[in-house]
Amino acid sequence: MGLFSNQLANVVEWEEYRDDVLFWKWSNDEIKKGSKLIIRQGQDAIFMFNGRVEGIFKDEGSYDIETQIVPFLSTLKGFKFGFNSGMRAEVLFINTKQFNIKWGTPKPVRVQAPGLPGGLPIRANGSFDVKVGDYLVFIEKIAGVKKQYSINEVRELMQSMLSGLLVRWISKVGQDIFNLQANMLEIQDGVKTDLDMEFVKIGLSVVSFRIDEFSYPENVTKRADQAAEHSMVGDMNRFQQVSMVDAMTGNNGSGGRGSDMMNTMMGAQMGMMMGQQMMNNMNQNAGVQNQQAGNGTIPKFCPECGTPTNGGKFCSNCGNKLG
């Protein structure tokens, strides 16, 4: 396959350089006498003849192909340019940079969770770094059949493998399905290792893999927040009181002086309501304790003054009979 023009001399270079492309083939008919090779920073040039790698050149600069390149080619080092004949070969430019690629799960990954037969849908996002690792494998699997290869194609390949890898490693280390952040380091290291094993097969190397966050469906997140509030508050009565305060005095999304005054008034009203509720609860407790006293059981606290009874039959403070 020829790559060089019929001009007397030509310049072999990556003319249409793109920062998001891993390699590019210079495509003319043949290399003529007096032609130059230009290698820029971040590029390697690979000479190929009949599909075989003849030489790899990594130092940036401008080179005379006849005197500085041909003598180092494997089977073409004795090639002599004629006036009307040129050297038919392929030149492949490799982008040697390390690519940072953002990723996100295209659809939720379902992970087994207690009480959810269909699994818990989880999304994740992050980034990974990749570069060309093995030129010979990369040429055989990718560059030999494509004109160029972009990071979008690398991202698509990675995402086709990602769901299975996430499920595998979340299942291994995610003991608490709602606390994956705590196990993030182990999960991302495991995914990186497995992903690199797959990318090596096409000559690429995964340098690093990062997970920025896990996210759950909105309704699941709300239920988790409610469960946390229940555990902090301690019982349903106090949880309802907190919820009423939140609904009436906070998180209303409005601002301004009038809003502050309204919140203050609502807060005072809620305080009185909560105080009344507490009194009702105390009265109910006192009734229970009095009932216990009538049954001959010594209460822990005097129903009249609230003093600890310490198992005595009479209150040490007010003298009330307890049993």
Side-chain angles (χ1 to χ4, degrees):
M1 184 183 296
L3 294 177
F4 304 96
S5 70
N6 290 322
Q7 298 174 359
L8 186 59
N10 41 35
V11 177
V12 182
E13 63 178 331
W14 189 344
E15 297 174 336
E16 303 173 3
Y17 176 78
R18 283 173 47 188
D19 197 49
D20 63 335
V21 172
L22 277 72
F23 80 94
W24 186 79
K25 291 180 181 178
W26 195 83
S27 56
N28 282 327
D29 291 332
E30 60 182 3
I31 303 174
K32 293 291 188 177
K33 185 179 180 68
S35 296
K36 299 288 185 182
L37 170 68
I38 296 178
I39 303 177
R40 293 183 173 85
Q41 185 176 11
Q43 299 176 3
D44 287 350
I46 302 175
F47 275 74
M48 301 180 64
F49 181 73
N50 290 335
R52 175 181 173 180
V53 174
E54 293 291 326
I56 300 176
F57 302 90
K58 299 185 176 183
D59 295 330
E60 61 184 277
S62 177
Y63 302 90
D64 180 83
I65 293 179
E66 182 178 11
T67 60
Q68 296 178 285
I69 300 298
V70 171
F72 297 96
L73 301 180
S74 299
T75 59
L76 298 174
K77 57 185 176 181
F79 180 83
K80 298 295 182 182
F81 284 94
F83 181 77
N84 293 320
S85 63
M87 179 178 68
R88 294 185 176 274
E90 293 181 344
V91 179
L92 188 71
F93 287 91
I94 299 289
N95 191 334
T96 62
K97 69 174 287 186
Q98 181 171 298
F99 294 87
N100 179 257
I101 305 175
K102 302 292 184 181
W103 63 267
T105 48
K107 59 182 180 180
V109 177
R110 292 192 172 271
V111 180
Q112 291 184 353
L116 297 175
L120 177 66
I122 296 175
R123 290 185 180 273
N125 62 73
S127 64
F128 69 107
D129 294 322
V130 66
K131 67 178 182 179
V132 180
D134 188 322
Y135 287 175
L136 298 181
V137 175
F138 184 67
I139 291 171
E140 177 186 358
K141 300 296 184 180
I142 302 294
V145 297
K146 289 179 174 287
K147 173 69 176 180
Q148 63 185 27
Y149 199 57
S150 70
I151 61 173
N152 286 332
E153 293 174 278
V154 178
R155 181 187 294 110
E156 291 174 0
L157 176 62
M158 173 266 187
Q159 289 182 324
S160 69
M161 309 174 186
L162 182 61
S163 295
L165 295 179
L166 283 176
V167 170
R168 175 182 178 183
W169 283 97
I170 288 174
S171 300
K172 279 188 175 183
V173 303
Q175 301 299 325
D176 181 358
I177 202 65
F178 293 104
N179 194 27
L180 295 179
Q181 301 290 129
N183 298 312
M184 183 180 294
L185 183 61
E186 187 173 355
I187 294 172
Q188 67 184 18
D189 286 349
V191 172
K192 185 262 180 185
T193 299
D194 288 352
L195 194 63
D196 185 57
M197 291 177 62
E198 294 299 321
F199 271 48
V200 164
K201 297 177 182 178
I202 59 171
L204 299 181
S205 174
V206 178
V207 180
S208 64
F209 179 86
R210 291 173 294 278
I211 301 173
D212 290 338
E213 66 174 349
F214 289 103
S215 59
Y216 309 94
E218 184 178 356
N219 60 330
V220 174
T221 303
K222 287 182 178 180
R223 290 180 181 273
D225 291 342
Q226 288 179 343
E229 290 179 359
H230 276 275
S231 64
M232 288 188 294
V233 173
D235 60 63
M236 183 58 71
N237 286 336
R238 289 160 64 190
F239 175 72
Q240 291 174 345
Q241 293 166 2
V242 172
S243 298
M244 292 174 65
V245 173
D246 286 341
M248 299 183 68
T249 66
N251 297 326
N252 57 11
S254 60
R257 184 174 180 181
S259 175
D260 293 339
M261 294 179 62
M262 181 65 71
N263 287 341
T264 301
M265 295 174 62
M266 288 183 176
Q269 184 176 2
M270 282 300 302
M272 290 186 291
M273 293 173 61
M274 292 174 65
Q276 182 63 45
Q277 181 67 34
M278 292 175 65
M279 290 298 297
N280 292 338
N281 291 341
M282 291 177 63
N283 290 336
Q284 291 175 3
N285 291 336
V288 172
Q289 291 172 345
N290 286 335
Q291 183 177 3
Q292 292 175 340
N295 292 335
T297 303
I298 305 298
K300 293 183 179 180
F301 300 92
C302 175
E304 295 294 330
C305 66
T307 302
T309 62
N310 297 321
K313 293 184 178 183
F314 296 91
C315 176
S316 61
N317 182 50
C318 66
N320 179 50
K321 185 177 180 180
L322 303 175

